[in-house]
Amino acid sequence: MNLLFLFLFLFQSNTNAFYAEWDSVLQEHVKQGFVDYKGLQNQPENLKQFLEKATNVQKQDFEKWEKKEQLAFYINLYNALTIKLILSEYPVKSIKDIGNFFQGPWSRDVFSLFGNTITLNNLEHDIIRKQFKEPRIHLVLVCAAKACPPLRSESYRAEILNELLENQAKNYLSSSNGLIIDEQKQTIFISSIFKWYAEDFESVPDFIQKYTSTSIKTYSIRYLDYDWSLNEK
């Protein structure tokens, strides 16, 4: 059995084994959503090994996976590539410091997926958003900023993907970065994520209402300033 078939076998029969190196990165270098980039820069082996596995996945095999396996793979890949991008320019104060006027961080070539070079924009907008129509992905794709949903200290896995998506949405909307409710002013202050991707949520108030006990559907909506400073530990 060659290395590629071994990777595919491990992924399809044991998700934990496929994501072992990525889980090690998250468990060792991510605490409460904050990343130890300096430590990870000195110990990049597990991140590199996971990305080597991911780039060896063949499209014809990937298309046989269940949808939840595909989505979990893309989420983990996006978050890993974001960390890779930060490390490529570290130290930086913000992901927005990477690149220039003509090419921002999300437009930089970062990975070879199914034999094609892609950017983070390709992965998020052309693949994940287009293929899955899942609004909760905006609460799990991490942009390395303090205001974005926190990076979990575990990988996303197909067998519990819905539970993890729900937990992530609940946690983010329980934080001051995601949602602040002012009952006196009948106003909710929410992350700018809900403005940028409003079309994906269909009804932002309905989505938020699911994760709070306060009846907010008649409340006015305001958007929080987004803190782009690095989510560094």
Side-chain angles (χ1 to χ4, degrees), residues 208-223:
I208 293 174
Q209 185 63 78
K210 293 190 299 182
Y211 301 100
T212 179
S213 59
T214 304
S215 180
I216 52 87
K217 290 187 177 182
T218 61
Y219 281 30
S220 298
I221 295 177
R222 299 289 184 270
Y223 296 97

Side-chain angles (χ1 to χ4, degrees), residues 47 56 68 73 82 103 106 121 127 174 192 204 227-228:
L47 179 61
N56 280 319
K68 60 184 180 179
F73 173 81
T82 299
Q103 184 187 62
W106 297 281
N121 273 340
I127 298 176
S174 297
S192 291
V204 169
D227 184 354
W228 283 102

Side-chain angles (χ1 to χ4, degrees), residues 160-199:
I160 55 171
L161 182 58
N162 186 65
E163 291 87 340
L164 292 176
L165 291 174
E166 280 294 288
N167 181 258
Q168 189 76 353
K170 181 179 179 181
N171 287 345
Y172 189 54
L173 290 171
S174 297
S175 74
S176 58
N177 285 323
L179 170 67
I180 297 174
I181 301 175
D182 189 327
E183 295 186 17
Q184 185 175 3
K185 294 182 179 180
Q186 298 280 284
T187 300
I188 59 171
F189 299 85
I190 58 177
S191 169
S192 291
I193 288 173
F194 295 99
K195 175 173 61 176
W196 299 331
Y197 302 109
E199 62 185 281

Side-chain angles (χ1 to χ4, degrees), residues 16 24 37 40 48 57 70 73 76 95 111 125 145 153 157 167 171 193 197 205 210 227:
N16 291 338
S24 292
Y37 291 104
L40 187 52
K48 289 180 179 178
V57 173
Q70 294 178 354
F73 173 81
N76 289 317
I95 190 173
F111 194 66
H125 305 301
S153 296
R157 301 184 300 282
N167 181 258
N171 287 345
I193 288 173
Y197 302 109
K210 293 190 299 182
D227 184 354

